[in-house]
Amino acid sequence: MVKILHCSFCILSGMCVDLILFPLDTIKTRLQSPQGFKKAGGFRGIYAGVPSAAVGSFPNAAAFFVTYEYVKCMLATATPPYLRPVTHMAAASFGEVVACLIRVPSEVVKQRAQVSPSSSTFRVLSNTLYQEIPFSLVQFPLWESLKDFWSWKQGHVVDSWQSATCGAFAGGFAAAVTTPLDVAKTRIMLAKAGSSNASGNVLSALHSVWRSQGLPGLFAGVVPRVTAISLGGFIFLGTYDKTRSLLL
């Protein structure tokens, strides 16, 4: 019953974050579009695709955190303390794989509504995994490490607001360093049939952006992406830790 309540709070907080920050995600997607920001829609209809995001956020948050906690607890018993970051990386990776099976269909519908592209679900699945797993490999070990360090410095476990602050920093940092992968994923999903990006090759997409737009192109949309994920990390991970401490 406690775990069910915990998952319910995670789902609710995840949905609220997705809906509140959805306009930033739309702006980010349009900034990364090969059409250019204005042709992709500019600031018009920034809530296009929100129903699919709302529906997908319910099971997505539950799937990720149930898997994350289960794998983390399972590996923690057989892993020495100095390998704890590796445990968090593995747990986050497994969580993303499970969550992506739910996230990808809604992601396809959402981005089609945001920029009117054409993309296959299989292509989005593979490229979402390429982008999300590296993101989680940075975010969750950093979040857990920051909490451990802050707890050690003050002599007691971090409060929920402190966990939220760590989540915001970890999310923002992970969002910044993985922006090129997010740009590649967006370009592939929005690619027209027969174009060089339509093959779904991430390295090819990155090279194409680098040749045509250089470093600014690889980091297109970084400001709204970092802003959205930092705020999302603060709200979502803070809520997650708070409910976890109250219920477990």
Side-chain angles (χ1 to χ4, degrees):
M1 181 63 182
V2 169
K3 289 186 177 181
I4 292 174
L5 287 172
H6 188 211
C7 284
S8 298
F9 276 110
C10 289
I11 293 169
L12 182 60
S13 62
M15 186 190 70
C16 290
V17 168
D18 286 344
L19 294 178
I20 292 169
L21 302 178
F22 190 85
L24 287 174
D25 184 66
T26 302
I27 291 169
K28 179 220 55 163
T29 299
R30 291 174 179 176
L31 284 168
Q32 294 174 351
S33 170
Q35 305 172 46
F37 181 69
K38 287 186 178 180
K39 288 185 178 179
F43 291 103
R44 300 187 307 275
I46 57 175
Y47 274 98
V50 75
S52 64
V55 171
S57 68
F58 276 93
N60 177 60
F64 176 83
F65 276 104
V66 167
T67 306
Y68 178 73
E69 286 294 340
Y70 177 78
V71 174
K72 186 173 75 170
C73 292
M74 184 178 67
L75 294 178
T77 57
T79 307
Y82 65 87
L83 288 179
R84 191 173 296 167
V86 178
T87 298
H88 298 149
M89 288 180 182
S93 297
F94 276 107
E96 285 295 353
V97 170
V98 174
C100 273
L101 296 176
I102 298 166
R103 180 188 302 132
V104 166
S106 65
E107 184 80 0
V108 172
V109 176
K110 181 196 76 174
Q111 290 211 327
R112 281 180 178 172
Q114 286 175 330
V115 190
S116 300
S118 119
S119 182
S120 70
T121 299
F122 177 76
R123 188 194 303 169
V124 180
L125 172 60
S126 61
N127 288 289
T128 299
L129 287 173
Y130 271 121
Q131 188 250 321
E132 291 295 339
I133 288 180
F135 174 82
S136 292
L137 287 177
V138 176
Q139 182 190 29
F140 279 87
L142 182 57
W143 178 52
E144 300 278 10
S145 297
L146 288 172
K147 290 195 299 177
D148 288 344
F149 179 73
W150 202 336
S151 298
W152 173 73
K153 287 289 287 185
Q154 66 186 6
H156 62 81
V157 177
V158 292
D159 299 325
S160 57
W161 71 267
Q162 294 171 325
S163 175
T165 302
C166 294
F169 181 84
F173 180 79
V177 299
T178 60
T179 294
L181 292 175
D182 189 57
V183 171
K185 183 196 76 170
T186 300
R187 290 298 182 93
I188 289 169
M189 286 197 293
L190 306 186
K192 295 180 179 179
S195 67
S196 59
N197 287 334
S199 64
N201 188 301
V202 173
L203 292 178
S204 175
L206 288 171
H207 182 62
S208 175
V209 174
W210 171 259
R211 281 190 309 168
S212 61
Q213 295 177 282
L215 196 62
L218 290 175
F219 284 89
V222 67
V223 173
R225 175 173 162 80
V226 168
T227 302
I229 293 178
S230 295
L231 290 172
F234 184 89
I235 298 168
F236 189 53
L237 295 178
T239 303
Y240 173 78
D241 250 14
K242 182 64 175 179
T243 55
R244 190 172 186 274
S245 64
L246 291 174
L247 298 175
L248 302 182

